[in-house]
Amino acid sequence: MTETLDPMDQSKIDHQKLAQQLLAQAKAEGVELVGPNGLLNQLTANVLESALEAEMDEHLGYEKHHVRGRNGENSRNGRRTKTVLTEIGPVQIQVPRDTDASFDPQIVKKRQRRLTGVDEIILSLSAKGLTTGEIAAHFDDVYGASVSKETISKITDKVLTEMTEWSVRPLDSVYPVMFIDAIHVKVRDGQVANRPVYVAVGVTTAGEREILGLWAGDGGEGYGTRTGSFP
């Protein structure tokens, strides 16, 4: 009986073999897995650079070394070095340039110094009660990367702005069903402590659930311990 492999399963097998080959080659050449010159760092740089080159191909309308680049049209004009902070630490990449400076990459945008995952790490650490100084020290100790307190504050302040916009959004006039519950989170108020946060969830007339609001409490889950009032 002949077994037919699913294309997705075949893809996974190929990825495993590729990973094994890369690890074996790195071990043979004495290349570390992590670190500034580690395997993961080099792979990340290669992937980002390949994506940027593909974006440049699309921007120009032809591939690298094509004859159209020699006919006075907008063409490649070397590359510039850029360092971006990733979830595995700082990664140095080569960003392609064009002669009329109209290339606007999207994978790693102009003036972008952090990939998305880094912002998520900062928000997660902030949510656990760490100060901006502690978060900066964490990145220095774990990733060997410098992230200023000002940058950390800008990232967390952006979330506060979005939360403010969310809190004043218009609500439906009628919610046939509403649930109220509490979750415990760490809150910094002079010191870090577990506080209950009350969550009101409404069910719309279309049957969809929607979070109506959040209220911070000061004790247990009892209704009488909440701060503020429910709608």
Side-chain angles (χ1 to χ4, degrees), residues 27-43:
K27 184 176 181 180
E29 297 177 359
V31 177
E32 297 180 352
L33 180 61
V34 295
N37 299 312
L39 176 63
L40 290 178
N41 191 292
Q42 294 176 28
L43 286 174

Side-chain angles (χ1 to χ4, degrees), residues 90-158:
V91 173
Q92 190 176 87
I93 59 176
Q94 298 295 319
V95 181
R97 299 183 300 183
D98 57 344
T99 52
D100 66 7
S102 59
F103 179 48
D104 187 19
Q106 298 302 306
I107 297 296
V108 181
K109 297 182 179 181
K110 292 180 178 179
R111 293 177 292 279
Q112 182 180 355
R113 296 297 176 183
R114 306 180 312 276
L115 297 191
T116 307
V118 173
D119 287 11
E120 294 172 353
I121 293 174
I122 289 175
L123 292 174
S124 175
L125 294 174
S126 177
K128 287 179 171 59
L130 272 68
T131 65
T132 55
E134 290 169 339
I135 295 174
H138 172 82
F139 272 88
D140 185 40
D141 293 341
V142 177
Y143 301 105
S146 175
V147 181
S148 69
K149 295 179 182 180
E150 291 74 16
T151 296
I152 295 170
S153 294
K154 287 179 181 178
I155 294 171
T156 54
D157 287 348
K158 181 180 178 182

Side-chain angles (χ1 to χ4, degrees), residues 69-85:
R70 307 169 194 166
N71 297 329
E73 294 188 37
N74 185 26
S75 61
R76 283 176 166 79
N77 185 31
R79 297 183 296 177
R80 63 183 179 87
T81 301
K82 178 176 182 176
T83 300
V84 291
L85 182 58

Side-chain angles (χ1 to χ4, degrees), residues 16 31 42 93 152 160-161 191 196 221:
Q16 288 179 345
V31 177
Q42 294 176 28
I93 59 176
I152 295 170
L160 294 176
T161 300
Q191 61 182 0
E221 291 191 17

Side-chain angles (χ1 to χ4, degrees), residues 152-172:
I152 295 170
S153 294
K154 287 179 181 178
I155 294 171
T156 54
D157 287 348
K158 181 180 178 182
V159 174
L160 294 176
T161 300
E162 293 175 351
M163 284 294 294
T164 300
E165 294 175 352
W166 174 81
S167 66
V168 297
R169 76 201 188 286
L171 299 175
D172 292 352

